[in-house]
Amino acid sequence: MMMSNGIEDEEKWLAEGIAGIQHNAFYLHRALDSNNLREALKYSAQLLSELRTSRLSPHKYYELCKVLHMRAFDELRRLEIFFKEEDRHGCPVIDLYELVQHAGNILPRLYLLCTVGSVYIKSKEAPAKDILRDLVEMCRAVQHPVRGLFLRSYLAQVSRDKLPDIGSEYEGEGDTVMDAVEFVLQNFIEMNKLWVRMQHQGIFYEANVSFGDRDPELKPSFGVSGLQGPHREKEKLEKERNELRDLVGKNLHVLSQIEGIDLEMYRDTVLPSVLEQIVNCKDELAQYYLMDCIIQVFPDEYHLQTLETLLSACPQLQPTVDLKTVLSQLMERLSNYASLNPELLPEFLQVEAFSKLSNAIGKVMEAQVDMPVVGAISLYVSLLTFTLRVHPDRLDYVDQVLGACVKILSGKPKLEDSKATKQVVALLSAPLDKYDDIVTALTLSNYPRVMDHLDAGTNKVMAMVIIRSIMKNKSWVSTSDKVEVLFELIKGLIKDLEGISTDELDEEDFNEEQNSVACLMHMLYNDEPEEMLKIICTVWKHVMSGGPKRLPFTVPSLVFSALKLVRRLQGQDGDVGGEEVPATPKKIFQLLNQIIETLSVVPAPELALRLYLQCAEAANDCDLEPVAYDFFTQAFVLYEEEVADSKAQVTAIHLIIGTLQRVNVFGVENRDTLTHKATGYSAKLLKKPDQCRAVYACSHLFWVDDQDGIKDGERVLLCLKRSLRIANAAQQMTNVTRGSSGPVTLFVEILNKYLYFFEKGNPQITASVIQGLIELIKTEMQSDNAVVNPVSDAFFTSTLRYIQFQKEKGGAMGEKYDSIKLGG
């Protein structure tokens, strides 16, 4: 209840204060309109007396002063105009200046004195510096922190356009820029003292005051909020102080607007005075805010030239001051300045900006021994960002920053703090974003050392960032040494790190990661075959450490990279002497055999079979018959022993047939052996339709247009007849099991094969044979137990239409087809 009453009392006092301001403002307005000086002074003093209350907290007091600034200060400006017009009130300004000093209460007296003082300066009847010195000294009379802050804030406001600055009408006759600087600095120092003193003032209002008591001379004392406990009370007080900080900071803004402050004056007078006050006040809130103000309001050029002075103050601040934010903002300002003014980059080198910033960060960390890791890393992230923007060509600077982070992280366990981890990722990502080239990052010796301190999960995230950067920027990694460093960086994706097993990973995430690694392998390239082979061997070494689950993703990319190298070396036999055997097709094929064999531990027989066939085709192009035969042998062994699924067998046999058709390196004996195996396995497939299609596909093994000598029409016909028998058997089996004939699709497919070889000039395929097959299909379609199948019917109709087209085309082909009768 007491707390509630205290809040209600504050609201009542605030409302009464605002009402008093409005009441006196009304009578002040009337006095000004009637040119009545005495009444104007009376009501302006009464209006300003509302600021003398001690019952309000700084926050409520601030609300009251905001009303005053909006309403009363408008009236004070009118009062100022009234004071300037001597003919309206008949009192010289010097007498007026003396007159207002006889006001009954100190606070209204000084507000009026500042108002008249502004008029006095404008009249130029006395040197501006004397009046300003007089005003700033007289304001010492108010030592109540909140009242004093607002009073001096008003003084700064009314005097800012009357300072003796260069080009100002108040300069000259003894008034100099230094006078203006001294005035603002003195006002700033006094305001900061008042602001800091607020933390020791306690509570600014009474809890035991009755509703009707409005004694303006109440002294500050501890009241209701003392019941809230010391911690709550301190938090509230700090919040209230924070709301008043701009009143102090405006002085620094005024200083930054004085045109006469050049670099020399700033370096020798302004900055040392401000920093001295900041250091000596020993207040965390004031030190942080005022350091931030310095960075924000003064020119970047001045910061660059006074960097050492500014940074030297940082270690002297309170240990709890958030220096990482202060320094980060300073480095951001300087880096933006460098980006916008590239011609000034030599100045950064001249003043040794990087070294000074780096040393300052080190001293701050020595002074703030309890600084958390996230704070220290964030400082170096800012320093790295500064370095990359200002000195992008100085990789030694970049590596130095990374080395400093390694020192911070050394001796500590893997990072588990998410914020610290995020900062390390930002640190590692910055060079990638800047250089658009992973090769540059690979030259940084401390880069992998920083990554070692990441936990396994974040290490993988960073590895994905690296891979995406390479793919996005199309960065080629061209030496085995750089590949070694790269794969060390992405080892979180290459193998299981401590604490994480592949069995624990989400399958979708795992697949995405391994596909990224597979894509990465295609970005590893060198024009020199020997170096490219070293790259392949280096990758193979790392891939082997990844366990069987990763091999199906990584082995194919590695195999195709090696095959790409083989085709570049096509024609070399590799029998070259010397200590270091150069890259040759034979040597690479030996390596490929070893690589593909590892898939047996997965197991992945279908994938291995495909890769063996790819290698066989490449060996054919290199005219290496024994090598090609060996790869085909390996493929057949896998087919016999490992491929058990019927669908996989169908796919595998068609792959074997298709590859064997394209190979032309074999002699008669080897080719007969392989084609015999292919046709034999085709006829042993589980399903009759699969047998039929595989067997008629084998017909292409005996008739290849672009290869001399492989035109065995009899064996083509044997394959087609065998496929026709199998199709007929399948038709009969369907009739037995289902009571109806199956579709004639297989017969139509075989008819199309007959037409193909007929057109190619196979003498064994005659028009009469085709005619007989057409009649067979028609008979099957017209049988009593035939089932209508629109797809098969359309297929057959389309085939007949093709024959008719060839008949009508004329020429030699037309004559060949002429004897085929389609009938109705």
Side-chain angles (χ1 to χ4, degrees):
M1 284 296 293
M2 290 180 67
M3 278 261 249
S4 175
N5 289 339
I7 295 173
E8 291 175 2
D9 289 349
E10 271 204 330
E11 296 294 339
K12 182 177 178 64
W13 294 329
L14 177 60
E16 290 177 351
I18 292 173
I21 290 172
Q22 293 173 338
H23 172 78
N24 288 295
F26 173 76
Y27 287 103
L28 173 61
H29 192 271
R30 290 180 59 179
L32 294 176
D33 288 343
S34 61
N35 297 328
N36 190 328
L37 177 61
R38 185 175 295 277
E39 290 294 304
L41 291 175
K42 171 186 172 183
Y43 287 111
S44 60
Q46 291 180 2
L47 181 150
L48 293 164
S49 293
E50 296 296 339
L51 291 179
R52 295 169 57 235
T53 180
S54 297
R55 299 168 177 175
L56 299 174
S57 65
H59 176 64
K60 296 298 183 182
Y61 190 87
Y62 191 35
E63 287 188 23
L64 183 64
C65 283
K66 281 194 294 186
V67 174
L68 181 67
H69 279 78
M70 288 186 294
R71 184 70 184 268
F73 283 8
D74 285 341
E75 301 300 333
L76 288 176
R77 278 193 291 272
R78 296 188 63 176
L79 185 64
E80 183 179 350
I81 296 171
F82 175 70
F83 288 155
K84 285 191 292 186
E85 298 173 355
E86 185 179 332
D87 58 332
R88 292 180 61 185
H89 53 74
C91 183
V93 68
I94 187 171
D95 295 340
L96 196 57
Y97 191 68
E98 294 292 335
L99 179 62
V100 295
Q101 294 186 43
H102 296 287
N105 293 306
I106 186 66
L107 192 64
R109 180 192 313 159
L110 290 174
Y111 270 102
L112 289 173
L113 189 63
C114 291
T115 306
V116 177
S118 171
V119 176
Y120 197 4
I121 295 172
K122 203 157 190 175
S123 70
K124 301 180 183 177
E125 294 182 18
K129 66 178 181 181
D130 293 340
I131 302 172
L132 291 172
R133 188 182 302 116
D134 193 29
L135 293 175
V136 80
E137 290 293 337
M138 285 191 175
C139 286
R140 288 177 184 269
V142 177
Q143 288 298 307
H144 186 287
V146 182
R147 296 175 190 164
L149 275 174
F150 279 99
L151 172 62
R152 288 186 174 275
S153 174
Y154 177 67
L155 172 60
Q157 178 180 331
V158 298
S159 62
R160 64 183 303 171
D161 60 343
K162 301 173 183 67
L163 299 175
D165 192 6
I166 289 178
S168 166
E169 60 181 298
Y170 306 104
E171 183 190 18
E173 297 183 8
D175 291 335
T176 64
V177 173
M178 185 57 72
D179 296 319
V181 171
E182 289 176 353
F183 165 75
V184 179
L185 281 175
Q186 187 175 353
N187 198 46
F188 159 73
I189 292 170
E190 294 300 326
M191 288 184 74
N192 189 52
K193 290 178 179 177
L194 292 169
W195 187 41
V196 171
R197 198 186 306 151
M198 280 179 63
Q199 65 182 309
H200 308 298
Q201 184 70 27
I203 303 306
F204 292 88
Y205 59 98
E206 295 267 0
N208 55 354
V209 180
S210 64
F211 288 164
D213 188 355
R214 299 186 59 232
D215 181 3
E217 297 302 330
L218 280 169
K219 298 295 186 292
S221 63
F222 291 93
V224 152
S225 57
L227 302 174
Q228 299 174 10
H231 183 67
R232 287 280 303 275
E233 181 181 323
K234 182 179 179 181
E235 284 184 353
K236 181 179 178 183
L237 191 57
E238 287 298 296
K239 182 179 178 182
E240 291 171 345
R241 285 188 61 214
N242 199 42
E243 290 172 349
L244 302 180
R245 63 183 185 176
D246 286 346
L247 298 179
V248 183
K250 283 178 182 177
N251 288 280
L252 297 182
H253 180 69
V254 171
L255 274 175
S256 70
Q257 299 299 308
I258 297 178
E259 295 289 339
I261 297 181
D262 55 13
L263 176 59
E264 183 181 357
M265 184 180 296
Y266 176 77
R267 182 183 60 235
D268 298 340
T269 303
V270 176
L271 184 60
S273 299
V274 175
L275 290 178
E276 182 183 8
Q277 175 60 26
I278 293 174
V279 171
N280 291 341
C281 74
K282 299 187 182 304
D283 176 64
E284 174 191 350
L285 179 61
Q287 288 181 338
Y288 170 75
Y289 172 67
L290 294 176
M291 287 295 288
D292 183 56
C293 280
I294 291 175
I295 293 168
Q296 300 300 333
V297 302
F298 289 107
D300 298 323
E301 178 189 0
Y302 289 8
H303 292 325
L304 181 61
Q305 298 300 329
T306 59
L307 198 54
E308 189 168 4
T309 304
L310 182 59
L311 294 174
S312 65
C314 293
Q316 303 177 57
L317 303 182
Q318 296 298 101
T320 52
V321 174
D322 184 13
L323 278 174
K324 69 178 186 298
T325 303
V326 172
L327 290 174
S328 296
Q329 289 175 344
L330 174 60
M331 288 184 277
E332 183 179 0
R333 284 287 302 263
L334 290 175
S335 58
N336 289 336
Y337 178 56
S339 299
L340 295 173
N341 303 277
E343 70 280 0
L344 299 177
L345 290 179
E347 290 189 24
F348 282 82
L349 288 171
Q350 185 179 356
V351 302
E352 299 179 341
F354 172 80
S355 299
K356 290 175 180 176
L357 288 168
S358 181
N359 292 336
I361 291 174
K363 290 178 181 177
V364 166
M365 293 175 61
E366 290 174 7
Q368 298 189 2
V369 290
D370 296 328
M371 179 183 288
V373 172
V374 61
I377 297 297
S378 65
L379 271 175
Y380 282 110
V381 170
S382 299
L383 180 59
L384 182 61
T385 303
F386 167 83
T387 305
L388 292 172
R389 295 181 69 177
V390 180
H391 305 294
D393 56 328
R394 294 297 300 267
L395 293 180
D396 56 326
Y397 285 174
V398 177
D399 207 33
Q400 186 177 328
V401 175
L402 296 174
C405 290
V406 172
K407 290 181 180 178
I408 294 171
L409 298 170
S410 295
K412 294 182 174 61
K414 298 286 186 181
L415 284 176
E416 295 181 357
D417 180 1
S418 60
K419 292 182 179 179
T421 300
K422 188 176 180 180
Q423 288 297 322
V424 174
V425 170
L427 184 84
L428 294 169
S429 301
L432 303 180
D433 296 337
K434 175 62 181 178
Y435 295 117
D436 295 338
D437 183 7
I438 186 63
V439 176
T440 304
L442 295 180
T443 62
L444 303 170
S445 60
N446 287 306
Y447 198 95
R449 295 173 63 195
V450 175
M451 281 196 69
D452 286 340
H453 291 279
L454 294 172
D455 63 84
T458 311
N459 195 298
K460 292 169 65 176
V461 171
M462 194 62 227
M464 288 294 288
V465 170
I466 292 172
I467 293 177
R468 291 192 187 106
S469 173
I470 293 174
M471 304 306 297
K472 176 184 175 182
N473 300 306
K474 295 182 173 57
S475 304
W476 299 100
V477 184
S478 57
T479 68
S480 57
D481 293 339
K482 290 175 181 175
V483 171
E484 183 73 42
V485 176
L486 172 61
F487 274 71
E488 186 63 27
L489 291 179
I490 64 169
K491 62 185 176 184
L493 303 179
I494 301 298
K495 60 184 178 182
D496 294 339
L497 296 179
E498 184 179 352
I500 292 186
S501 169
T502 52
D503 298 332
E504 302 172 4
L505 300 175
D506 178 79
E507 184 176 357
E508 186 175 341
D509 291 341
F510 178 78
N511 293 348
E512 181 185 358
E513 291 167 0
Q514 297 310 306
N515 284 328
S516 297
V517 175
C519 292
L520 172 66
M521 291 184 186
H522 296 292
M523 302 305 296
L524 315 177
Y525 180 81
N526 193 297
D527 287 328
E528 293 296 326
E530 286 75 17
E531 188 62 32
M532 187 64 205
L533 182 56
K534 288 181 182 178
I535 290 174
I536 292 170
C537 292
T538 301
V539 174
W540 173 233
K541 178 185 69 175
H542 286 278
V543 165
M544 280 294 292
S545 67
K549 192 171 182 179
R550 292 180 173 86
L551 291 176
F553 296 91
T554 51
V555 164
S557 290
L558 185 59
V559 167
F560 280 101
S561 292
L563 290 176
K564 194 183 297 183
L565 175 60
V566 166
R567 297 189 188 281
R568 285 164 52 194
L569 297 171
Q570 200 167 308
Q572 298 182 17
D573 59 12
D575 298 327
V576 181
E579 295 183 4
E580 184 177 347
V581 179
T584 64
K586 279 187 179 179
K587 185 174 182 180
I588 298 169
F589 282 128
Q590 292 170 4
L591 176 63
L592 283 168
N593 210 355
Q594 298 173 24
I595 293 173
I596 300 173
E597 277 182 6
T598 58
L599 290 173
S600 61
V601 302
V602 176
E606 293 94 342
L607 176 59
L609 185 144
R610 288 171 180 268
L611 295 176
Y612 278 132
L613 293 176
Q614 288 288 339
C615 292
E617 192 169 355
N620 171 76
D621 295 340
C622 294
D623 203 24
L624 297 173
E625 181 180 0
V627 177
Y629 188 84
D630 183 63
F631 281 124
F632 265 109
T633 302
Q634 299 286 356
F636 277 120
V637 170
L638 280 176
Y639 180 87
E640 290 176 357
E641 299 179 359
E642 302 292 340
V643 182
D645 180 71
S646 60
K647 289 184 178 180
Q649 286 181 338
V650 172
T651 302
I653 198 64
H654 279 282
L655 286 171
I656 291 173
I657 294 168
T659 305
L660 189 55
Q661 180 197 0
R662 293 190 295 273
V663 172
N664 62 356
V665 72
F666 294 126
V668 175
E669 184 179 349
N670 284 341
R671 186 172 184 83
D672 282 350
T673 302
L674 295 175
T675 54
H676 179 73
K677 281 282 186 183
T679 52
Y681 289 133
S682 299
K684 293 179 182 178
L685 292 172
L686 179 63
K687 297 180 180 179
K688 291 294 183 182
D690 293 334
Q691 288 181 20
C692 175
R693 292 185 173 99
V695 169
Y696 72 59
C698 287
S699 64
H700 290 280
L701 297 177
F702 306 105
W703 192 281
V704 182
D705 275 341
D706 55 353
Q707 296 167 11
D708 297 336
I710 308 179
K711 286 186 172 61
D712 190 340
E714 290 186 6
R715 297 184 72 175
V716 169
L717 184 60
L718 284 174
C719 286
L720 294 179
K721 284 183 176 180
R722 189 173 186 181
S723 66
L724 195 58
R725 288 196 299 271
I726 297 171
N728 191 49
Q731 193 79 331
Q732 291 177 2
M733 189 179 297
T734 303
N735 194 22
V736 171
T737 56
R738 300 183 183 178
S740 62
S741 299
V744 295
T745 305
L746 287 176
F747 291 108
V748 180
E749 290 175 7
I750 296 170
L751 172 60
N752 277 271
K753 289 297 175 184
Y754 270 94
L755 292 175
Y756 171 80
F757 289 110
F758 179 62
E759 291 185 3
K760 294 299 181 182
N762 186 337
Q764 304 299 320
I765 310 296
T766 63
S768 60
V769 173
I770 294 174
Q771 186 73 56
L773 185 53
I774 292 173
E775 297 304 325
L776 173 64
I777 295 172
K778 287 182 177 180
T779 301
E780 288 291 334
M781 293 175 67
Q782 294 169 2
S783 64
D784 295 338
N785 54 0
V787 177
V788 178
N789 187 294
V791 176
S792 299
D793 293 349
F795 188 14
F796 182 55
T797 302
S798 178
T799 303
L800 295 180
R801 191 181 304 119
Y802 173 77
I803 295 173
Q804 184 63 37
F805 169 75
Q806 293 288 42
K807 287 167 64 70
E808 295 173 355
K809 189 165 67 171
M813 190 60 67
E815 291 179 5
K816 290 186 70 170
Y817 275 93
D818 191 52
S819 59
I820 300 175
K821 308 299 181 184
L822 299 179

